[in-house]
Amino acid sequence: MTRSFNVMMKTWDELRERVSTFALLAGVKLRNQNSNCELIQVFIYTNRFRQELPQYSGYKTVKLQFPTSSTFELNKYAQMA
């Protein structure tokens, strides 16, 4: 699952909140599928169409201690990333 934002994120707090919300939605989807996940990957790319702004691209992958669909656990690891 990936997510693009309809507005520019200007602070780390805004980005953390969006990552948290996305982890919640991923947990709901996993539970609806009767599934779990073992890895979380968070990637951040700036808007490549806004060349006048500093550009960044990066990602972090975190292996969970055990497969889960727990929103709490998913958010904890997503925030670590």
Side-chain angles (χ1 to χ4, degrees):
M1 294 175 54
T2 63
R3 174 75 58 196
S4 295
F5 306 123
N6 57 350
V7 295
M8 284 183 53
M9 300 286 109
K10 296 182 181 178
T11 68
W12 284 109
D13 286 338
E14 288 177 314
L15 188 58
R16 282 187 202 99
E17 183 179 329
R18 291 295 182 107
V19 168
S20 180
T21 300
F22 193 64
L24 172 112
L25 296 173
V28 169
K29 187 171 185 177
L30 285 166
R31 289 188 296 278
N32 285 339
Q33 295 175 350
N34 223 8
S35 298
N36 293 306
C37 74
E38 298 179 65
L39 295 171
I40 291 182
Q41 186 173 65
V42 176
F43 54 95
I44 300 170
Y45 300 101
T46 52
N47 186 342
R48 65 179 184 257
F49 300 107
R50 298 286 308 265
Q51 290 296 315
E52 74 278 9
L53 298 175
Q55 297 295 302
Y56 173 83
S57 66
Y59 69 93
K60 178 81 175 193
T61 303
V62 178
K63 182 168 177 19
L64 282 61
Q65 289 181 334
F66 51 87
T68 187
S69 64
S70 163
T71 297
F72 176 78
E73 291 293 316
L74 296 174
N75 186 46
K76 178 175 83 172
Y77 287 103
Q79 295 298 324
M80 286 172 51

